[in-house]
Amino acid sequence: MENLASNLKEKLTGTSFDANSEKTAPPINPGVLHQFRKIQIPLAKIGLGSTEADLVQMAKKYLEIVGLVLFVWIFGYFHFSVSWILLAVFIYLFRQRQRSQFKERHRMLNEINKNEEQYIKARLDELPSWVFFPDVERAEWVNKIIKQAWPYANKYMDKAIFHDIMIPMIRSTSPALSDFSFEKLDLGEIPPRIGGVKVYTDNVRDQIMMDMEVFYAGDARIKSKVKGIVCGIKDIQFVGELRVILSPLINTIPLFGAVTYFFLRKPSIDFKLTDAGTLMDIPGLNDLMLVQINDIVASMMVLPNRQVFPLVTDIPTGHLRWSNPQGVVRVIVIEAHNLVKADITLLGKGKSDPFVKVKTQGNVEYKTKTMNNTTDPRWNEVFEFVVEQSERDVVDFEIYDEDPGKDDFLGRAQFSINSLLEQQSVETELTLKDVKKGSLKVFLQYFHLSTQRSALDIIERTNRQMIKQEKLSKALLVVFIDRCTNLPASKKTRREPNPFCRIQVDNTERKTHTLESQTNPSFEHISQILCSNPLQQQLKIEVRDARSNNDIIGYLELPIKNILDTDSMTIDTQEFPLKSSTEPLDRVSIVLRLSLHILSPVNSNASESPTASTPLVENSNRQNTVAELPNKSILENNLITDSSSKFANEQATTPENRTLLVADDPDLESSQFGQVKVGIRYAANRKALSVTIYACKDLINVHEQNLPDAYVRVYLIPDFKKDKKKTKSVHDTVDPVFDDLFEWSASLSDIHQQHLLISVKNNSPLFASEQTYMGDLQIDLSNLDAEKNSIAWYALQEPNTSAGGLIKIKYDTPNNVQTHL
């Protein structure tokens, strides 16, 4: 074979490669020799111009095609539907596309690892941040240190991260993973890299703060084992922005007391499955697994959660784990214009089904509803974010076209929070980047945080100017769960529990990471929860056991008003006893640090607020607040009400005398199917009916094993029966809270001819035999008054019947008696 290759080279180049020719050949220019080496044919081991790797790749491709043809033949032989064939072909093509994208991404990161400078010169359009930003510096010396220390870091990560942290967390996610273990841990020889470092020097005291770009595309291979099944991953890719804080600074070596580190946003994690894991490498399942992994990382190391590594023993570092938010940003996504048509038909026409992802630093990300078949969508949706660091924080907007499988990208935009601090509120139209055309219109408002009780009146007046006032936040609750003590062993397994905590305020839920086999777990978890009504809402913390099917070990219920009534609105590291609904607990407790911050549109903790005893002054201040709001087009877009006289009428009476909440009817006490709280009003300036589904209570239990998962369907019949609305589903409760707002655009005369049909349903599984309908209600809108608001409880009637008839809208006036028709 070698002789054959030599003869072939001789034919192609016209030279001889024997020993004699080498001695007599004239000297060759090194540049020519380099070019010659680039085109010379490698020695072939098997076949002409090929290697064993080429033949293996060819054989794999051949087997894939044969397998696909055989699959189609089998389906045809057994007369299956052609839809199954199309589905199989779609999955095959989708996997091929994902694999090619993954390989390209991995090749790119490998090139950066090998020679960053050469890669930069070749790819000028994908430069790292140190090229664009003069205050971001290269850290090649750090990368050289990491490369030499990487073999030793392998051993540390094997013990401290994979065995002590990852295994307990994975086992706690499901009882099916209780015997999860790592069979092979090889982190390879390629270490992670630091792309750029920025050190902050302004407005930083008693600490050294820096941001690092961290990315990894190494040769690690990890294999795990569950129920005797081996599943592996390789080609791991990791990209994230890590913040490192050296604090507090001290006058002895090592000059700082601890290292605090966390990710500013959820890092991007990707990998390729091997062994039995290839069964998960299909659309949907692989993405679901990546989401679970990202959530685990976010619960530990994404802002506001952080890790603290103390370096000095005699200096307290507990406060470093606490959250110190700077403010809250309210974002209103109004509309978009002239978006790209992502769904093109054969005739060249098309539309898009756009939605917007809104996110900032931290692990919170929101998504608007999808507007079908339009390139000029209008959303008018409100989102709120907690701001930890405003120096580099930005609000990111990404627009996508919703499609089965992968959504199409329609553009992105950013708005700097630092520029918002100077103006307090901004309405702007952002030009979309990375696409040919399109713009996004948004409204942003920044709120400072105050610990003054009087600031609550100011934020209430500010929120009252917004239409969706029932969803707008007034305060920020920061919950720091330090630890639990004396947790009892599980009665089912008689083993120490795998505890985790679930934090809940109304429908907002947070969850800590799970610790394995501990009766005194230390969570050190931070949750930030925005509260819309701190005077009435309640904080509930449940300590659950992941080993015993998430059974509740104990719980704590605390009114948020108790925190509000303290001098500094802070309960500092206090031990609370846990309760149990099944048996008394002996000295079982949870240690918490709780703080409450009131949202304030002005940066002052001494802001004055008018009293209820002076309604004229309060009305005057209200009108000034409306006049001071910028961006009058927001008023025209119906995001903020535009009638100052309406505010004057509302403020003529104190909150105790306002006729919004209607007293319960006598027949509500005998309701067999529960009750629903509904708000109804007509917005004359927008010619729209506004219906708010607040909550339900005392619903019938139709679930076989647990409590129902209730949601509400809302219809306007007969003219709007196709435009049906639906609330979110609230799990495991007969007293769900929804706070969902729906609107129908129509004249008042048309609304008077409609009936409002409300149907409460159970979100039962697809193949379950559980009852779906839980209660119905029909409200006659003929007595709808455009000058009044109605918020009242209504008795639900028997599902799928009309025995109860229609009920009119309830207004709290003596002349309007509620009667059934």
Side-chain angles (χ1 to χ4, degrees), residues 387 389-394 415-423 446:
V387 178
Q389 301 287 341
S390 59
E391 295 89 357
R392 288 186 60 187
D393 281 13
V394 294
F415 192 90
S416 172
I417 295 178
N418 197 29
S419 62
L420 183 62
L421 296 177
E422 304 172 357
Q423 307 178 55
Y446 185 83

Short mmCIF file of all heavy atoms in Angstrom, two decimals, residues 387 389-394 415-423 446:
data_model
loop_
_atom_site.label_atom_id
_atom_site.label_comp_id
_atom_site.label_asym_id
_atom_site.label_seq_id
_atom_site.Cartn_x
_atom_site.Cartn_y
_atom_site.Cartn_z
N VAL A 387 -33.59 45.11 40.57
CA VAL A 387 -32.27 45.55 40.11
C VAL A 387 -31.29 45.41 41.27
O VAL A 387 -31.49 46.02 42.33
CB VAL A 387 -32.31 47.01 39.61
CG1 VAL A 387 -30.92 47.45 39.19
CG2 VAL A 387 -33.29 47.14 38.46
N GLN A 389 -27.61 45.49 40.63
CA GLN A 389 -26.49 46.36 40.29
C GLN A 389 -26.87 47.14 39.04
O GLN A 389 -27.11 46.55 37.99
CB GLN A 389 -25.21 45.55 40.03
CG GLN A 389 -24.75 44.71 41.21
CD GLN A 389 -24.15 45.54 42.32
OE1 GLN A 389 -23.76 46.69 42.12
NE2 GLN A 389 -24.08 44.97 43.51
N SER A 390 -26.91 48.44 39.14
CA SER A 390 -27.36 49.26 38.02
C SER A 390 -26.24 49.75 37.12
O SER A 390 -26.49 50.41 36.12
CB SER A 390 -28.15 50.47 38.53
OG SER A 390 -27.33 51.25 39.39
N GLU A 391 -24.98 49.43 37.48
CA GLU A 391 -23.87 49.98 36.68
C GLU A 391 -23.92 49.46 35.25
O GLU A 391 -23.79 50.22 34.30
CB GLU A 391 -22.52 49.62 37.31
CG GLU A 391 -22.28 50.24 38.67
CD GLU A 391 -22.82 49.34 39.78
OE1 GLU A 391 -23.41 48.29 39.44
OE2 GLU A 391 -22.66 49.69 40.96
N ARG A 392 -24.08 48.12 35.10
CA ARG A 392 -24.08 47.54 33.76
C ARG A 392 -25.38 46.83 33.44
O ARG A 392 -25.49 46.16 32.43
CB ARG A 392 -22.91 46.55 33.63
CG ARG A 392 -21.55 47.19 33.56
CD ARG A 392 -20.50 46.14 33.29
NE ARG A 392 -20.72 45.44 32.03
CZ ARG A 392 -20.02 44.38 31.64
NH1 ARG A 392 -19.06 43.90 32.41
NH2 ARG A 392 -20.27 43.79 30.50
N ASP A 393 -26.38 46.95 34.32
CA ASP A 393 -27.64 46.26 34.08
C ASP A 393 -28.34 46.84 32.86
O ASP A 393 -28.37 48.06 32.66
CB ASP A 393 -28.57 46.39 35.29
CG ASP A 393 -28.18 45.43 36.40
OD1 ASP A 393 -27.08 44.87 36.31
OD2 ASP A 393 -28.97 45.24 37.32
N VAL A 394 -28.90 45.96 32.07
CA VAL A 394 -29.70 46.36 30.92
C VAL A 394 -30.95 45.49 30.89
O VAL A 394 -30.96 44.38 31.43
CB VAL A 394 -28.93 46.22 29.58
CG1 VAL A 394 -27.76 47.17 29.52
CG2 VAL A 394 -28.47 44.78 29.38
N PHE A 415 -32.02 48.19 26.62
CA PHE A 415 -32.14 49.53 27.19
C PHE A 415 -31.37 49.54 28.50
O PHE A 415 -31.57 48.69 29.37
CB PHE A 415 -33.60 49.89 27.44
CG PHE A 415 -33.81 51.34 27.77
CD1 PHE A 415 -34.05 52.25 26.76
CD2 PHE A 415 -33.73 51.80 29.08
CE1 PHE A 415 -34.23 53.59 27.04
CE2 PHE A 415 -33.90 53.14 29.37
CZ PHE A 415 -34.15 54.04 28.35
N SER A 416 -30.48 50.52 28.65
CA SER A 416 -29.62 50.60 29.83
C SER A 416 -30.40 51.14 31.03
O SER A 416 -31.07 52.18 30.94
CB SER A 416 -28.42 51.52 29.53
OG SER A 416 -27.68 51.75 30.70
N ILE A 417 -30.30 50.44 32.14
CA ILE A 417 -30.98 50.88 33.36
C ILE A 417 -30.29 52.12 33.92
O ILE A 417 -30.94 52.98 34.53
CB ILE A 417 -31.00 49.74 34.39
CG1 ILE A 417 -31.87 48.60 33.87
CG2 ILE A 417 -31.54 50.21 35.73
CD1 ILE A 417 -31.94 47.40 34.78
N ASN A 418 -29.01 52.24 33.71
CA ASN A 418 -28.28 53.40 34.21
C ASN A 418 -28.82 54.70 33.62
O ASN A 418 -28.90 55.72 34.30
CB ASN A 418 -26.79 53.24 33.91
CG ASN A 418 -25.94 54.17 34.75
OD1 ASN A 418 -26.31 54.52 35.85
ND2 ASN A 418 -24.79 54.57 34.23
N SER A 419 -29.19 54.67 32.33
CA SER A 419 -29.77 55.87 31.72
C SER A 419 -31.18 56.13 32.21
O SER A 419 -31.67 57.25 32.16
CB SER A 419 -29.77 55.70 30.20
OG SER A 419 -30.57 54.60 29.82
N LEU A 420 -31.85 55.08 32.70
CA LEU A 420 -33.20 55.25 33.23
C LEU A 420 -33.20 55.94 34.59
O LEU A 420 -34.18 56.59 34.97
CB LEU A 420 -33.88 53.88 33.32
CG LEU A 420 -35.34 53.84 33.79
CD1 LEU A 420 -36.23 54.60 32.83
CD2 LEU A 420 -35.80 52.40 33.91
N LEU A 421 -32.11 55.82 35.33
CA LEU A 421 -32.04 56.42 36.67
C LEU A 421 -32.20 57.93 36.61
O LEU A 421 -32.77 58.54 37.52
CB LEU A 421 -30.70 56.06 37.33
CG LEU A 421 -30.46 54.58 37.63
CD1 LEU A 421 -29.06 54.39 38.21
CD2 LEU A 421 -31.50 54.04 38.59
N GLU A 422 -31.70 58.55 35.57
CA GLU A 422 -31.75 60.00 35.48
C GLU A 422 -33.15 60.51 35.12
O GLU A 422 -33.54 61.59 35.52
CB GLU A 422 -30.75 60.49 34.43
CG GLU A 422 -29.32 60.02 34.71
CD GLU A 422 -28.38 60.36 33.57
OE1 GLU A 422 -28.88 60.90 32.55
OE2 GLU A 422 -27.16 60.09 33.70
N GLN A 423 -33.92 59.71 34.35
CA GLN A 423 -35.21 60.18 33.85
C GLN A 423 -36.41 59.59 34.59
O GLN A 423 -37.53 60.02 34.36
CB GLN A 423 -35.33 59.85 32.36
CG GLN A 423 -34.15 60.34 31.54
CD GLN A 423 -34.27 59.96 30.08
OE1 GLN A 423 -35.27 60.26 29.42
NE2 GLN A 423 -33.27 59.27 29.55
N TYR A 446 -38.50 53.44 36.69
CA TYR A 446 -37.61 52.98 37.75
C TYR A 446 -38.14 53.41 39.11
O TYR A 446 -38.57 54.55 39.30
CB TYR A 446 -36.20 53.55 37.55
CG TYR A 446 -35.19 53.01 38.53
CD1 TYR A 446 -34.56 51.79 38.30
CD2 TYR A 446 -34.88 53.70 39.70
CE1 TYR A 446 -33.63 51.28 39.20
CE2 TYR A 446 -33.96 53.19 40.61
CZ TYR A 446 -33.34 51.98 40.34
OH TYR A 446 -32.43 51.47 41.24
#
